Amino acid sequence: MAALMNKRDFLRTSTAAGLGLLLGDRVWAKFTDVPADQLAGHEAFWATIRAKYRLKPDYINLESGYYSMQATPVLEAFVEKVREVNLQASYYLRTTQVPDKAAARDTLAALAGCSPAELCITRNTTESIATVVNGYDWKPGDEAVQAEQDYGHMLAHFRLVARRYGMVNRLVSVPPDPRTDDDVVSVYAKAITPRTRLLMVSHVINITGHILPVRKIADMAHARGVDVLVDGAHAFAHVDYRIPDTGADYYAASLHKWLGCPLGTGILYVRKDKIPGLWPIYGDWRMTDDADIMKLNHTGTHPVHTDLTIEHAIAFHNAIGAQRKEARLRYLQTYWTSKVRGLPKVILNTPSDPARACAIANVGITGVAPDDLAKTLLDKYKIWTNAIDSPAIGVQGVRITPHVFIQSTDLDVLVRAISEIARA
Ligand SMILES: Cc1ncc(COP(=O)(O)O)c(C=O)c1O
């Protein structure tokens, strides 16, 4: 039990002392009064955060959008949990597994700004969204609204229930560089009919980094009696917000993206009054209370060491500070996009308004296929990215997702690479 107690010691000390513990009090004293927006460009400060990660020297990792590596203190805690759970085996599962997971959920709920009774820990956004979409008692002719820019597999959940129950999906197309929030909200509003029951919206579009005005979309949908499911896979612990402020009835996110948790961690938020209306996917013979969100959370025996590590990732995230992290991530994106936007043949597939994007941006070059661009970036410039080739929605380029361990000098390499490839 000692190692499991250590987890709590680590948490207590790191949460209380914040950055002082991460950086050492002497270093922290230099930065303590610097506002987040000024600290965003302070490379010496962020170098101390970078030092908390083990990075491969072979390439510059600009693909944290898929999976963001754990910081070393989080990884060490995770490995310790793997060893400890293995050592205690079924003793652990039959004694403190459930209260430990509940404690992790409480910490997550504090970060999300919601009640623990409205949150459960899942494996990922996929599971969370599938739980909601499959939890509806769809009738033939019922309608749901999504966008072409949503993540393909999440749209597939809706196609599946359309095939199975005869419900109907209506796809909108989000304007790529809106001038106002209403440019986006009105697109969703036009797709709603008297048969619409559910609207899914991405908080951050994964291929472009576009941050959508989810609160305004939710208010508009609610005024028409439509429920709102927010796909927050890319928003949680990336931009700073509280889930209830989004207006979502249901909110799904992955913790292995921007929070830096081990692979296979996610959340599902269901607003309290919406819990009784959802059918669970898996049965649970103990569950008699239809208003208990845990009815949605029975998945059988699973890798509990991931649950145990969530609190460590949150401690690391909180130690940096959500505002500081968002300001740094937006700084990194605008640092490189401002240097290449407007260059001949360079196409930015991300909104120009800095408030409508944060870390993620997408860049293409006229005449260069996305796969070739990604390959040249890796082979010639040692930059790891992800090619996005979606001509149907007008996005052809590479997605660039820097995390807090990326420095402006890494992005100078990217800027040089894009400039040279566009000139060639
Ligand atoms: C917008 C969006 N939704 C859902 C997912 C699925 O996330 P996961 O694979 O963690 O379930 C992703 C993954 O990148 C995503 O970008």
Side-chain angles (χ1 to χ4, degrees):
M1 207 58 70
L4 291 170
M5 289 304 293
N6 286 344
K7 172 192 70 163
R8 302 212 166 87
D9 292 347
F10 169 92
L11 262 181
R12 206 166 35 242
T13 49
S14 62
T15 307
L19 270 176
L21 186 101
L22 264 186
L23 305 182
D25 285 337
R26 207 170 47 81
V27 183
W28 173 232
K30 290 202 297 197
F31 299 108
T32 189
D33 291 328
V34 185
D37 57 337
Q38 284 175 32
L39 203 57
H42 201 304
E43 296 302 328
F45 170 80
W46 291 99
T48 61
I49 302 293
R50 178 185 171 96
K52 299 291 171 192
Y53 288 84
R54 179 165 168 248
L55 302 172
K56 267 184 89 87
D58 315 55
Y59 52 78
I60 298 170
N61 182 355
L62 293 179
E63 225 298 78
S64 287
Y66 188 172
Y67 165 51
S68 165
M69 69 172 66
Q70 297 163 71
T72 305
V74 181
L75 178 65
E76 294 304 329
F78 177 55
V79 171
E80 188 191 313
K81 303 310 163 204
V82 174
R83 289 188 199 287
E84 188 62 23
V85 170
N86 188 63
L87 178 68
Q88 296 189 28
S90 114
Y91 177 81
Y92 174 73
L93 299 180
R94 291 194 189 281
T95 54
T96 38
Q97 174 190 198
V98 172
D100 278 354
K101 189 166 181 175
R105 179 171 78 143
D106 290 349
T107 313
L108 264 172
L111 181 65
C114 65
S115 156
E118 298 176 308
L119 197 74
C120 59
I121 298 172
T122 61
R123 284 175 297 180
N124 45 46
T125 307
T126 302
E127 180 176 295
S128 303
I129 290 187
T131 301
V132 175
V133 177
N134 290 286
Y136 267 61
D137 61 334
W138 295 107
K139 301 281 186 293
D142 284 350
E143 293 183 10
V145 174
Q146 309 102 46
E148 286 176 334
Q149 288 80 2
D150 291 331
Y151 192 73
H153 294 300
M154 304 307 107
L155 293 174
H157 294 315
F158 283 93
R159 283 204 297 275
L160 197 60
V161 287
R163 276 173 58 197
R164 189 165 179 187
Y165 302 109
M167 55 79 76
V168 176
N169 293 307
R170 293 187 180 272
L171 275 191
V172 303
S173 191
V174 175
D177 195 8
R179 296 293 103 202
T180 66
D181 288 346
D182 194 50
D183 290 349
V184 181
V185 179
S186 58
V187 164
Y188 282 92
K190 282 186 202 126
I192 290 177
T193 77
R195 300 299 304 266
T196 311
R197 293 183 65 191
L198 181 62
L199 179 153
M200 179 173 79
V201 57
S202 295
H203 198 160
V204 176
I205 294 175
N206 84 97
I207 52 177
T208 62
H210 189 166
I211 301 173
L212 299 188
V214 283
R215 180 61 200 235
K216 290 186 179 169
I217 293 168
D219 289 347
M220 174 279 297
H222 287 152
R224 292 161 166 78
V226 175
D227 293 340
V228 176
L229 163 61
V230 178
D231 178 346
H234 272 292
F236 198 70
H238 170 190
V239 287
D240 184 21
Y241 64 98
R242 296 157 71 82
I243 290 178
D245 295 341
T246 66
D249 299 289
Y250 316 101
Y251 195 101
S254 296
L255 306 180
H256 45 240
K257 292 189 184 289
W258 295 94
L259 189 56
C261 279
L263 279 166
T265 39
I267 51 168
L268 172 62
Y269 160 89
V270 183
R271 217 183 58 213
K272 200 147 189 44
D273 56 311
K274 293 291 174 189
I275 299 171
L278 280 186
W279 281 98
I281 295 178
Y282 296 92
D284 183 328
W285 58 264
R286 288 160 305 193
M287 190 53 66
T288 51
D289 182 359
D290 210 32
D292 183 347
I293 194 169
M294 295 312 286
K295 75 177 184 184
L296 305 173
N297 202 220
H298 184 104
T299 52
T301 312
H302 67 283
V304 292
H305 31 264
T306 56
D307 303 336
L308 287 169
T309 312
I310 291 170
E311 292 176 298
H312 298 268
I314 292 175
F316 187 79
H317 170 83
N318 284 342
I320 295 175
Q323 271 189 356
R324 291 190 197 104
K325 184 169 166 182
E326 175 177 344
R328 171 63 172 176
L329 293 175
R330 182 170 286 109
Y331 172 87
L332 290 173
Q333 183 261 116
T334 52
Y335 179 89
W336 74 267
T337 52
S338 64
K339 292 182 166 57
V340 301
R341 208 181 271 276
L343 291 182
K345 298 197 338 198
V346 172
I347 303 156
L348 262 302
N349 297 307
T350 299
S352 48
D353 176 354
R356 295 187 194 277
C358 191
I360 307 173
N362 182 305
V363 62
I365 295 178
T366 308
V368 183
D371 280 340
D372 294 340
L373 181 54
K375 189 169 171 0
T376 307
L377 287 173
L378 186 60
D379 293 349
K380 186 165 174 197
Y381 299 95
K382 306 289 174 229
I383 297 174
W384 175 237
T385 61
N386 181 33
I388 309 280
D389 200 355
S390 303
I393 51 173
V395 182
Q396 290 181 287
V398 289
R399 183 182 69 172
I400 306 292
T401 54
H403 211 294
V404 289
F405 50 79
I406 289 298
Q407 295 175 307
S408 58
T409 46
D410 297 324
L411 298 171
D412 289 337
V413 181
L414 175 70
V415 169
R416 182 167 62 83
I418 292 170
S419 311
E420 288 177 2
I421 299 168
R423 269 202 307 270

